[in-house]
Amino acid sequence: EGKVPEILFWVGCAGSFDERYKNVTKAFVKILNKVGVDFAVLGPEETCTGDPARRAGNDFLFQMQAMANIQVLNGYGIKTIVTACPHCFNTLKNEYPELGGNYQVVHHSTYLQQLIDEGKVIQKGAQTAFKGRKITFHDSCYLGRANNIYEAPRRVLEALDAELVEMKRCKTKGLCCGAGGGQMFKDAEKGNKEVNIERTEEALETQADTIAVACPFCMTMMSDGVKNKEKEGSVQVQDLAELIAESEGL
């Protein structure tokens, strides 16, 4: 105790409480342990970054939540934060500095890409279980358009030796999964089709057997879409960390 960890793993609400996304947390921790990085989590001292409050228009609540987190982070002298949630990533990286929270914030897709580049996971030329499998990647709005991170997740998938097939709308033209901006937590509005169904149809058109995501909201929306199309027997929705952990046999 008393020493500052190399990285603070920010787990986020979904990574802590969502049954499906807890798997992603576990997979990422297994990878961190495998490479022997010195990391810590805040546990019960971590509270919501305030992203949903701010997106839904309650800025006062956002500031209260942010200030509480900044106090804890600064108290521990945290320098580098890694998180698997693009919403947490965007808020910690771009919105905390104005409130006195200055950290190097890394999304886990970038972190995994660095580990692969350093040869710490998935050695070059290694046979992975993914050879011959088709994977499509859904860009999270807060990772892609908001922070320009397009290459890292794709580099991670390419390292798996799978065939990466892109949807017609991808990268800067990617379509939202339908959950951003607080939509995750509210009822649908009038219309003739849910956004996540539209996006899932685009993913299924690629004929991929795996839809890779890098965001807990996207995970929920795409999984619901796959269930809606009754394809859960043939198409998986998985996070990058789960795919890496699986290929490493963790």
Side-chain angles (χ1 to χ4, degrees):
E1 283 309 298
K3 71 182 182 64
V4 178
E6 208 177 314
I7 66 168
L8 176 80
F9 172 33
W10 186 274
V11 183
C13 302
S16 306
F17 301 117
D18 182 86
E19 280 311 315
R20 175 67 187 86
Y21 220 67
K22 282 180 194 173
N23 276 347
V24 177
T25 304
K26 287 176 190 150
F28 191 58
V29 165
K30 282 176 187 164
I31 295 165
L32 293 177
N33 284 332
K34 179 192 155 76
V35 301
V37 67
D38 167 39
F39 74 99
V41 294
L42 289 177
E45 288 186 274
E46 179 188 302
T47 61
C48 181
T49 59
D51 166 75
R54 176 166 260 192
R55 302 296 160 242
N58 191 340
D59 226 60
F60 178 68
L61 178 58
F62 161 73
Q63 295 206 20
M64 277 175 38
Q65 289 176 309
M67 296 300 279
N69 283 320
I70 288 168
Q71 217 169 350
V72 171
L73 291 165
N74 290 352
Y76 285 119
I78 298 302
K79 305 265 187 297
T80 306
I81 302 174
V82 179
T83 181
C85 173
H87 294 256
C88 296
F89 165 73
N90 179 66
T91 304
L92 293 164
K93 175 176 181 277
N94 299 322
E95 303 187 347
Y96 273 30
E98 62 183 6
L99 296 169
N102 294 289
Y103 319 102
Q104 187 196 1
V105 188
V106 184
H107 185 259
H108 81 317
S109 58
T110 304
Y111 193 78
L112 290 169
Q113 184 216 319
Q114 288 165 356
L115 290 180
I116 291 168
D117 288 351
E118 289 163 11
K120 290 179 178 168
V121 289
I122 309 189
Q123 271 62 40
K124 283 258 185 293
Q127 287 291 321
T128 75
F130 294 91
K131 201 163 181 60
R133 272 171 61 179
K134 273 190 176 182
I135 300 183
T136 191
F137 178 67
H138 164 74
D139 287 286
S140 148
C141 301
Y142 274 102
L143 203 55
R145 287 192 296 273
N147 287 288
N148 258 325
I149 297 174
Y150 297 109
E151 285 312 306
R154 288 172 170 82
R155 294 265 296 278
V156 170
L157 292 171
E158 279 157 13
L160 291 172
D161 213 14
E163 186 192 343
L164 181 61
V165 278
E166 296 284 6
M167 290 182 251
K168 287 193 183 79
R169 287 190 269 193
C170 65
K171 301 188 183 171
T172 52
K173 294 190 172 65
L175 178 72
C176 177
C177 70
Q183 298 291 326
M184 180 78 180
F185 307 104
K186 59 185 274 297
D187 290 330
E189 292 167 34
K190 285 190 176 59
N192 55 14
K193 191 196 261 184
E194 293 285 355
V195 176
N196 67 317
I197 303 299
E198 171 90 1
R199 188 55 167 163
T200 301
E201 287 169 357
E202 293 183 359
L204 294 175
E205 263 172 39
T206 66
Q207 304 283 304
D209 56 52
T210 302
I211 302 171
V213 293
C215 167
F217 292 2
C218 299
M219 166 81 78
T220 299
M221 300 306 265
M222 299 306 283
S223 300
D224 286 354
V226 168
K227 285 190 187 107
N228 175 278
K229 296 287 177 192
E230 298 182 351
K231 290 275 195 243
E232 63 264 55
S234 54
V235 177
Q236 296 174 299
V237 182
Q238 284 184 292
D239 182 87
L240 299 174
E242 294 178 307
L243 296 169
I244 297 287
E246 192 183 316
S247 73
E248 290 282 306
L250 299 174

